[in-house]
Amino acid sequence: MSGSSVPPESDDGADRTADHRTDYAGAIYGSILAASVVATAGTTGDYPRLQAVVLLVITGLVFWATHVYAQLAGERIVGQRWSVRQIRRIGMHEWSIVEACTLPAAAVALSSVFGTSVSTGLWIALAVAVAQQVVWACLGAVRAGASRGLVVAEGVVNLALGLIIVAAKVVLKH
């Protein structure tokens, strides 16, 4: 779970907090998700490149839909149905989960252009996922006005989380 909630709406449906907060939770979460998918893909032998790309995209879409549903269910007002506007607002807010899976998927797909093996493509995708996770965390901290030390700390924490996934891939591969 990303731990984020969708920005509240005023009575007229306008987001009143968008100017005062940063929210990169979906992008960070999606990056960790992509890294996890890549880390486990191919651990039991040869893995088709296209299958890895499709798995990344589908996993991102399923987790996005799950987050949308969880937000809708969590915000449910007794006796009221969900509105199209509410579904669209939450869907757009959580879309960064899917977006974060696209660069690792592209890395796997494009690795064939450079003549690398699927295994190498998966390692490249894992590096991309971890790198973007660190970048999103640092960018969120910078945009929130965090001190330089806090930006570095957020980067280090996210790098450590990513490296745990890398270590899991190493252990599972051998």
Side-chain angles (χ1 to χ4, degrees):
M1 185 161 64
S2 70
S4 69
S5 62
V6 177
E9 291 182 11
S10 66
D11 291 337
D12 64 1
D15 177 1
R16 299 291 185 224
T17 59
D19 295 333
H20 303 292
R21 64 184 266 165
T22 62
D23 190 355
Y24 293 90
I28 295 167
Y29 179 82
S31 298
I32 294 170
L33 173 65
S36 299
V37 168
V38 170
T40 57
T43 56
T44 59
D46 291 336
Y47 204 81
R49 194 179 314 268
L50 179 60
Q51 196 173 10
V53 171
V54 170
L55 182 61
L56 277 161
V57 172
I58 288 174
T59 302
L61 288 168
V62 167
F63 273 75
W64 166 77
T66 303
H67 275 248
V68 171
Y69 172 75
Q71 286 290 335
L72 287 166
E75 291 182 359
R76 183 173 291 163
I77 298 173
V78 176
Q80 290 186 2
R81 292 180 179 214
W82 297 323
S83 69
V84 172
R85 185 178 80 208
Q86 182 184 28
I87 294 168
R88 184 179 305 123
R89 174 179 58 89
I90 293 170
M92 294 301 295
H93 181 265
E94 297 293 337
W95 188 248
S96 59
I97 294 170
V98 176
E99 292 174 331
C101 291
T102 58
L103 277 180
V108 173
L110 293 174
S111 65
S112 66
V113 172
F114 300 104
T116 65
S117 67
V118 176
S119 178
T120 300
L122 289 170
W123 279 107
I124 293 167
L126 183 56
V128 166
V130 171
Q132 73 180 11
Q133 174 188 340
V134 171
V135 168
W136 285 123
C138 290
L139 182 60
V142 166
R143 298 237 7 238
S147 68
R148 186 175 301 175
L150 186 54
V151 172
V152 169
E154 290 206 28
V156 168
V157 165
N158 277 276
L159 179 60
L161 291 171
L163 291 177
I164 289 169
I165 295 170
V166 170
K169 180 169 179 60
V170 168
V171 169
L172 291 171
K173 188 67 176 173
H174 298 293

